[in-house]
Amino acid sequence: MRRLLRVLSTSAPALLAAALCFHFAMTVAYLTPQNPLQLRFARLISGYMNPFLQQNWHLFAPDPITDTRFVMVACRLREPDGSTTETGWTDITTPYWESHLENRLGPATRIGRSVTGAARMIYTVDPTSLQMAKKLDQQRARAQAGGGGAEAADAQVVDMLRDQVKKEQDAGFQLGKTVLERAGSAHCDSLFGPNRTAAVRLRLAVLKFPRFSRRDLPDAKGELSYYDFDWAPYQPVAPLEAATEDRRQTPVALRAAAVEER
């Protein structure tokens, strides 16, 4: 036993350093612009970073954030007579941040980041990928205008990169959708009780702030748009209160209902 403890105590710093190096290497690879190396290991990088460690550089970007996004859920409930009813929309994002403001170290922050991270995965389109596709189209247009075709090798390489980018974006969309559906299922259980929900439907709401010239207006006066998903089957998940709140606080799902009433 002493020998084992001695080995662990001597190897622990090296293991911790290796774990930190791996984490920072994955973060750097995730944040760099699209490049062949990133595309080659896209599945590994995205699997490690999304959705809990996802981040971006919007705070330092030339074009800062101009909108706020939140997630809403509707529940299809089973009734005792065998019929189903559909509820209205409930905001499930705002209560997490309200809980975070009350307890900065609470678990609601982690759950909230997973929800907003999943929503960002669905909405985000990589600008480098769009630029790559645009340059390919321009190259082919010039080649056709000159009476010839683009070089086969170059065209194959770019087509391969475009296919890889599309696969990465499709995988991100599907993962984000799955996370949101599970979050919606958990909220339906918390709001209406277990074993009542047959299906859930998610809505992503985007509120664009008033432009700088109208900065005197509140954010609520901005442009509000919605993106609705189709109904998805209910997914059994752990109780939401156990993951987000302690006994002294109001459950997040109940706060969601209160936010909706306001």
Side-chain angles (χ1 to χ4, degrees):
M1 177 60 72
R2 292 183 177 178
R3 183 177 181 181
L4 177 61
L5 293 176
R6 189 182 306 110
V7 171
L8 292 176
S9 62
T10 55
S11 60
L15 293 176
L16 179 60
L20 290 175
C21 290
F22 175 80
H23 173 74
F24 288 121
M26 296 294 283
T27 303
V28 170
Y30 180 80
L31 293 174
T32 54
Q34 289 282 6
N35 57 77
L37 184 62
Q38 187 189 63
L39 294 175
R40 174 65 178 82
F41 298 99
R43 185 182 298 273
L44 173 63
I45 297 172
S46 297
Y48 178 79
M49 296 296 297
N50 295 319
F52 300 106
L53 299 176
Q54 188 184 48
Q55 52 187 289
N56 56 66
W57 290 98
H58 283 169
L59 180 62
F60 308 101
D63 299 321
I65 292 176
T66 59
D67 58 51
T68 183
R69 303 173 184 182
F70 50 96
V71 182
M72 309 176 78
V73 65
C75 312
R76 180 178 290 166
L77 305 177
R78 301 186 187 91
E79 299 296 341
D81 60 0
S83 63
T84 59
T85 58
E86 297 178 2
T87 68
W89 295 104
T90 300
D91 177 4
I92 65 175
T93 305
T94 304
Y96 283 122
W97 304 129
E98 291 181 348
S99 180
H100 168 69
L101 292 176
E102 294 182 6
N103 182 7
R104 299 282 182 170
L105 301 178
T109 304
R110 297 191 296 272
I111 305 298
R113 282 179 60 87
S114 68
V115 173
T116 55
R120 189 178 300 112
M121 291 172 65
I122 291 174
Y123 262 106
T124 300
V125 177
D126 182 69
T128 306
S129 303
L130 296 179
Q131 185 179 12
M132 182 188 303
K134 182 179 179 180
K135 286 186 177 298
L136 173 63
D137 295 336
Q138 292 174 347
Q139 176 185 359
R140 287 179 171 170
R142 288 194 299 268
Q144 292 175 359
E151 296 183 5
D154 292 344
Q156 291 178 0
V157 170
V158 178
D159 282 341
M160 181 184 66
L161 293 177
R162 290 183 68 179
D163 291 342
Q164 186 65 34
V165 169
K166 187 178 184 306
K167 289 180 181 179
E168 180 183 353
Q169 293 176 343
D170 291 345
F173 179 91
Q174 188 58 45
L175 177 58
K177 182 173 177 291
T178 300
V179 173
L180 292 183
E181 289 172 355
R182 291 178 62 83
S185 298
H187 273 274
C188 289
D189 279 349
S190 298
L191 289 170
F192 304 104
N195 303 320
R196 286 201 61 194
T197 305
V200 298
R201 190 179 189 185
L202 278 301
R203 164 181 281 184
L204 299 184
V206 180
L207 176 63
K208 287 187 174 295
F209 309 141
R211 301 303 87 189
F212 184 76
S213 60
R214 305 298 306 276
R215 58 188 179 276
D216 56 307
L217 297 177
D219 291 348
K221 294 296 184 179
E223 179 184 351
L224 185 62
S225 58
Y226 300 101
Y227 179 87
D228 292 347
F229 292 90
D230 295 329
W231 286 96
Y234 165 83
Q235 300 186 36
V237 292
L240 185 63
E241 287 80 3
T244 58
E245 300 292 342
D246 59 37
R247 297 179 180 178
R248 298 170 297 175
Q249 295 179 314
T250 306
V252 165
L254 298 183
R255 295 184 182 207
V259 169
E260 184 67 13
E261 290 178 0
R262 296 201 298 267

